[in-house]
Amino acid sequence: MFRNQYDTDVTVWSPEGRLLQVEYAMESVKQGSACVGLRSDSICVLGALKRSVSELSSHQKKLLEIDDHMAMGIAGLTADARSLAKYMRNECLNHKYIYGDNIPPAVLMSDLADKHQRTTQTYVRRPFGVGLLVAGVDPQRNSCHLYQTCPSGNLYEFYASAIGARSQSARTYLEKHYETFPQCSKDELIVHALQALVGCVSGDDELTKDNGSIAIVGKDLSYTLIEGDELQPYLDKLELKSNDDDDDDEAEEGDAPQAMET
């Protein structure tokens, strides 16, 4: 993308009918570190790659707790995500104070999408440069949901999704396996999330307990964050699963009929 006379303000339309400032904000989501989300009938899992600015610094948090029944994963500007997380937490508290129950995720996500959209029609504010994956449990229907938002104000519900840099690899993996997710256990979903993240790691880096992070919410499970030493057993399971898959591929190649010589 190149600077032109139609990208000086978010309210200026280009001749092609585009809001370039909004598109630039969506580009910032594509450059953020990857985040994946998937759900079964009883549990939602979010996974994220954490970045550190140098070897001397800690890794940035990519998964945030909104309420006991809701978690958020981010890709893009972390500061914008913290602002939105504060808004969402306040809405959860207000709803619980007035109605005495957890807010349904669909209600909160609709309000959040409206908040995103308002910034695209007001010249004094810029769009939020962050994409969100929000996992939550509906207290009324006792069902799990996964939502995705983007700076344009669009809101989507998914069985599984991935956002951020190199997330296409994760989406391809999720598309191949999403039909098995509804009946998966917690551990199986976590391994699927980690497997999807493996394809999003840049260069020669590897997915480790330091740069990986998992968050869980479920029907009978409050928000739980798994990282560091707690994540290592799942990484070990992932390595065993990868080795078993490699062995199966080699066995299939060995069983393949050989071409007859003439």
Side-chain angles (χ1 to χ4, degrees):
M1 293 186 178
F2 299 98
R3 180 176 176 82
N4 61 53
Q5 60 183 322
Y6 301 106
D7 67 356
T8 56
D9 197 275
V10 71
T11 59
V12 177
W13 290 97
S14 73
E16 294 84 13
R18 297 159 59 186
L19 293 172
L20 296 179
Q21 285 285 333
V22 177
E23 294 185 14
Y24 294 166
M26 295 171 70
E27 283 297 313
S28 74
V29 177
K30 296 179 182 178
Q31 295 178 17
S33 55
C35 179
V36 303
L38 53 158
R39 68 173 178 87
S40 69
D41 291 337
S42 60
I43 197 168
C44 297
V45 174
L46 296 177
L49 287 175
K50 298 186 293 185
R51 283 179 178 172
S52 62
V53 294
S54 74
E55 295 181 359
L56 301 176
S57 72
S58 63
H59 289 77
Q60 282 187 324
K61 289 186 66 175
K62 301 286 292 183
L63 301 176
L64 305 175
E65 179 182 6
I66 303 304
D67 203 347
D68 290 341
H69 70 300
M70 202 176 304
M72 180 174 79
I74 64 176
L77 299 181
T78 307
D80 285 10
R82 288 201 307 270
S83 175
L84 291 173
K86 182 178 180 181
Y87 162 79
M88 295 170 71
R89 288 165 181 159
N90 285 335
E91 291 298 303
C92 288
L93 287 172
N94 291 337
H95 189 279
K96 190 174 295 185
Y97 178 77
I98 295 172
Y99 299 103
D101 198 6
N102 291 329
I103 187 172
V107 174
L108 179 58
M109 295 309 299
S110 178
D111 291 343
L112 181 65
D114 291 342
K115 186 178 179 68
H116 273 290
Q117 193 275 336
R118 281 193 294 271
T119 64
T120 68
Q121 280 189 297
T122 309
Y123 74 93
V124 296
R125 298 191 66 184
R126 64 165 176 81
F128 292 100
V130 64
L132 306 179
L133 286 179
V134 179
V137 179
D138 190 323
Q140 298 174 355
R141 301 179 180 178
N142 197 30
S143 56
C144 294
H145 300 272
L146 176 68
Y147 298 94
Q148 177 183 329
T149 70
C150 72
S152 65
N154 286 332
L155 174 65
Y156 310 95
E157 184 172 1
F158 283 90
Y159 293 109
S161 184
I163 56 176
R166 293 171 295 277
S167 60
Q168 181 58 52
S169 173
R171 283 195 293 273
T172 301
Y173 175 84
L174 295 172
E175 287 169 2
K176 289 181 179 178
H177 297 87
Y178 81 95
E179 293 180 346
T180 66
F181 293 164
Q183 308 305 322
C184 283
S185 66
K186 179 186 76 171
D187 290 354
E188 290 171 338
L189 275 185
I190 292 175
V191 172
H192 278 302
L194 293 174
Q195 183 66 65
L197 283 176
V198 166
C200 304
V201 181
S202 62
D204 297 329
D205 293 339
E206 295 181 352
L207 181 64
T208 67
K209 65 179 183 179
D210 295 321
N211 65 3
S213 185
I214 294 288
I216 308 170
V217 292
K219 292 181 180 179
D220 302 315
L221 182 65
S222 297
Y223 173 87
T224 305
L225 182 65
I226 302 175
E227 54 186 7
D229 292 335
E230 295 179 354
L231 186 63
Q232 189 59 50
Y234 297 101
L235 293 172
D236 296 338
K237 288 183 182 180
L238 176 62
E239 187 174 354
L240 290 174
K241 179 176 179 292
S242 299
N243 292 337
D244 291 341
D245 291 342
D246 292 341
D247 292 340
D248 292 341
D249 292 340
E250 291 176 1
E252 290 177 2
E253 291 177 0
D255 294 339
Q258 301 295 322
M260 296 181 61
E261 295 182 3
T262 57

